[in-house]
């Protein structure tokens, strides 16, 4: 699958949520572009599709567990002695539960996966990147961070990802670390299924409003993957701390 002349030739990348959706599309594209990919996911069944695939090392991991984060980054260190790119893609949403129906359990689950896990993974990965001369981090935000089209759990978590991204960009820019955030719009993934249930009626009503937007707001996982590739390649070497909406213009409405 890899190409010695690809845009990521010789690079080592860690991608979470690599078993499906945006994570899968990104892992596939990175491997095609010459990277060696540590493909992490919580689903053993989803990871099985990477067995025997050139340039891809599947790692079963729960990103809410410190020992699994250590194992993911440790794969890059022990096998290759470096980590050049990190894409924090694994995530869930809050199924659009409104504030007065959001309990602590829902808030904590969303924040643990969507904000605390990327913080912990970045914290573990950055020293390895610095040791190797630098690296690129891409965090996945959301249209919700810009316009609040979900419940408070998801909206707050993704807004927090923006703050995390900018702090890393400023704090480690001089050490060769670039950190950017992508805000997807509507994207064909199974995030609702992985989020643990059905959308709240308030969210379904909001979806009907969004469908009236006069733009091509609905995209595919590959659209996000191509932006991840750009941000992890030398083509974007002067882009750091940026928020990039990949939503067909959704956030303009």
């Amino acid at each position: 699958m890899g190409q010695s002349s690809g845009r990521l030739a010789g690079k080592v990348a860690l991608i979470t949520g690599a078993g499906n959706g945006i994570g899968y599309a990104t892992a596939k594209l990175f491997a095609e572009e010459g990277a060696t990919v540590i493909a992490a996911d919580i689903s053993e069944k989803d990871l099985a599709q990477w067995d025997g695939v050139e340039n891809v090392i599947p790692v079963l991991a729960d990103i809410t567990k410190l020992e699994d984060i250590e194992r993911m980054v440790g794969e890059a260190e022990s096998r290759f002695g470096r980590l050049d790119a990190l894409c924090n893609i694994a995530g869930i949403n809050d199924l659009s539960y409104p504030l007065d129906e959001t309990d602590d359990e829902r808030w904590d689950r969303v924040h643990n996966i969507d904000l605390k896990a990327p913080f912990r993974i970045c914290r573990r990965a950055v020293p390895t990147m610095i040791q190797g001369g630098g690296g690129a981090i891409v965090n996945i935000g959301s249209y919700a961070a810009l316009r609040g089209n979900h419940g408070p759990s998801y909206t707050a978590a993704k807004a927090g990802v923006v703050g995390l991204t900018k702090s890393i960009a400023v704090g480690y820019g001089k050490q060769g670390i670039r950190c950017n955030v992508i805000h997807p719009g509507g994207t064909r993934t199974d995030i609702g299924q992985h989020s643990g249930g059905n959308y709240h009626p308030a969210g379904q009503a909001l979806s009907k409003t969004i469908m009236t937007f006069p733009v091509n707001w609905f995209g595919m996982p590959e659209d996000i993957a191509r932006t991840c590739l750009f941000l992890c390649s030398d083509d974007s070497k002067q882009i750091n701390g940026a928020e990039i909406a990949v939503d067909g213009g959704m956030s303009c409405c």
Side-chain angles (χ1 to χ4, degrees):
M1 181 179 284
Q3 296 179 3
S4 59
S5 60
R7 293 166 74 183
L8 298 180
K11 304 288 188 182
V12 178
L14 168 59
I15 297 172
T16 68
N20 61 82
I22 295 170
Y24 174 83
T26 303
K28 181 175 182 292
L29 181 59
F30 276 35
E32 290 171 347
E33 288 289 339
T36 298
V37 178
I38 312 288
D41 201 275
I42 197 171
S43 169
E44 189 171 5
K45 179 182 177 182
D46 288 345
L47 274 181
Q49 63 195 313
W50 292 119
D51 290 343
V53 177
E54 184 184 2
N55 284 23
V56 179
I57 301 166
V59 175
L60 187 65
D62 179 345
I63 61 171
T64 67
K65 296 180 178 178
L66 281 172
E67 59 267 30
D68 285 10
I69 292 172
E70 175 64 36
R71 193 157 43 82
M72 291 187 312
V73 180
E75 282 286 334
E77 289 178 337
S78 62
R79 287 177 180 250
F80 311 104
R82 62 185 300 114
L83 180 63
D84 304 294
L86 165 64
C87 296
N88 283 307
I89 296 176
I92 61 172
N93 67 36
D94 59 13
L95 299 172
S96 296
Y97 270 64
L99 177 67
D100 60 343
E101 295 188 47
T102 297
D103 56 23
D104 285 2
E105 181 181 4
R106 184 176 302 278
W107 175 275
D108 289 344
R109 182 167 183 256
V110 171
H111 277 250
N112 284 341
I113 294 173
D114 289 356
L115 180 55
K116 189 174 183 178
F119 151 69
R120 286 170 147 184
I121 296 168
C122 289
R123 182 179 64 184
R124 177 62 183 84
V126 160
T128 304
M129 288 183 163
I130 292 173
Q131 213 169 29
I137 299 171
V138 176
N139 293 320
I140 296 298
S142 172
Y143 167 83
L146 304 173
R147 292 292 185 270
N149 71 321
H150 267 270
S153 307
Y154 188 65
T155 302
K158 290 303 186 179
V161 168
V162 174
L164 173 66
T165 299
K166 292 181 181 295
S167 177
I168 294 170
V170 173
Y172 298 94
K174 285 192 174 180
Q175 292 167 281
I177 305 293
R178 294 187 298 105
C179 190
N180 298 290
V181 60
I182 295 173
H183 294 308
T187 310
R188 189 180 297 282
T189 70
D190 295 328
I191 190 171
Q193 175 187 331
H194 295 295
S195 298
N198 297 317
Y199 280 84
H200 190 277
Q204 295 174 353
L206 184 59
S207 294
K208 291 179 181 177
T209 300
I210 290 172
M211 283 190 285
T212 67
F213 286 179
V215 294
N216 298 319
W217 61 270
F218 194 84
M220 301 298 291
E222 291 76 14
D223 297 319
I224 313 302
R226 284 188 285 269
T227 309
C228 288
L229 171 63
F230 169 67
L231 291 173
C232 289
S233 74
D234 291 340
D235 291 341
S236 62
K237 64 182 181 180
Q238 199 59 20
I239 299 178
N240 188 26
E243 297 180 64
I244 299 179
V246 184
D247 62 5
M250 188 180 188
S251 54
C252 297
C253 296

